[in-house]
Amino acid sequence: LAGMPGSTRPAPADDASASGRTAYREYWEALVQREWEHELSMINEQLGSWPVARLEKEGLCASGLVGSGRAYRFYNRPVARFTLRDEAPRHSFQPGDEIVLSRANPLTEIDALRGEIIEIARDYIETALVDSGQLSTRVEQGVWRLDRLANRTAYDRTIAGLHRLTGDKYRGSKPLRRLIVDGMGAPGWA
C-alpha cells in the first residue's frame, strides 16, 4: 500500500502543489475576469441603447427621483436618500448594488454620481455616494435617475476567495484543497 513501510509507491500528498494551486487560481481568475467584462459590456449596452421605459420595466432603473442629503456617513461616504415616485415601476435594486445617478443619461453626463445602495424602503432608496464636493446641495436640486451597474462586490469576493483557497496561508482542509485543485484536470471535472 502506498505510504506503508517497504512500499515503492509514494504516499499521496496531503495538499495541492504550489504549481497546481497557481494554475488553478490563474485559470479561474481568467474565467471570472471574462465574466466581469461581459457583465460590464452588457450593462453599458443596455444603458446606451435601451429606452428608460424599458430599463424601468426590467427593474434596472428608477427615474423621477427627488434627493435629500443625510446628516451621516456610511464608511466615510456621504449618504443621500432618493424618494421614489408614487407610480414608480417595480425595481430589482438591493442593498450592496452599485449604482450611478444622473439627470438623464449616466453614460454621457460628466457629473454623474456613483455609489452603492445601503437601504431600501417602500418609498425611498438610500445610497452611500462617492464624495464629489458639494454633494448635499447637488443631490437636493432637481430630479434624478438611478441606474444599477454591475456589482463589483461579487467579483472582488470571488477573486479574494480564490486567493485564500490557493494561498500559502490557507487554513482549511489541505486534503480537500488538493481534491479541488488537483481534480481540475481530472476527466469529467466541472
Side-chain angles (χ1 to χ4, degrees):
L1 295 172
M4 297 295 290
S7 172
T8 57
R9 292 180 19 201
D14 283 342
D15 195 3
S17 67
S19 63
R21 294 191 321 257
T22 299
Y24 181 88
R25 184 185 66 248
E26 289 173 353
Y27 174 81
W28 283 102
E29 275 183 339
L31 287 178
V32 171
Q33 181 64 33
R34 285 176 50 198
E35 180 183 26
W36 171 247
E37 290 167 1
H38 175 72
E39 188 174 352
L40 287 176
S41 70
M42 222 172 55
I43 293 288
N44 285 334
E45 189 272 325
Q46 291 168 347
L47 289 175
S49 64
W50 290 9
V52 173
R54 180 173 179 194
L55 290 167
E56 285 187 314
K57 182 180 175 191
E58 297 291 332
L60 304 172
C61 175
S63 63
L65 306 177
V66 176
S68 63
R70 310 304 290 163
Y72 65 94
R73 297 176 84 74
F74 182 78
Y75 292 102
N76 208 29
R77 293 163 55 194
V79 173
R81 178 177 287 182
F82 294 89
T83 305
L84 297 166
R85 303 183 323 256
D86 289 338
E87 73 283 356
R90 174 202 61 79
H91 62 76
S92 60
F93 298 114
Q94 299 177 48
D97 282 348
E98 293 189 35
I99 53 97
V100 62
L101 288 151
S102 62
R103 301 297 182 172
N105 187 333
L107 297 178
T108 60
E109 292 179 29
I110 296 171
D111 61 346
L113 303 171
R114 290 187 174 268
E116 168 189 356
I117 293 178
I118 57 174
E119 183 181 348
I120 296 176
R122 184 181 54 75
D123 57 343
Y124 68 84
I125 295 175
E126 207 159 74
T127 61
L129 300 171
V130 175
D131 202 349
S132 56
Q134 300 294 324
L135 188 61
S136 61
T137 55
R138 284 182 60 207
V139 164
E140 293 173 357
Q141 298 170 354
V143 178
W144 293 89
R145 166 182 164 177
L146 184 145
D147 291 275
R148 188 175 73 201
L149 299 175
N151 191 336
R152 185 157 181 103
T153 302
Y155 168 81
D156 289 341
R157 288 179 179 167
T158 301
I159 295 298
L162 281 169
H163 282 265
R164 276 196 287 290
L165 175 66
T166 59
D168 291 335
K169 295 181 181 179
Y170 175 73
R171 299 180 129 203
S173 166
K174 303 282 177 144
L176 178 59
R177 175 166 76 170
R178 186 188 51 150
L179 178 67
I180 293 169
V181 171
D182 290 347
M184 184 171 79
W189 185 87

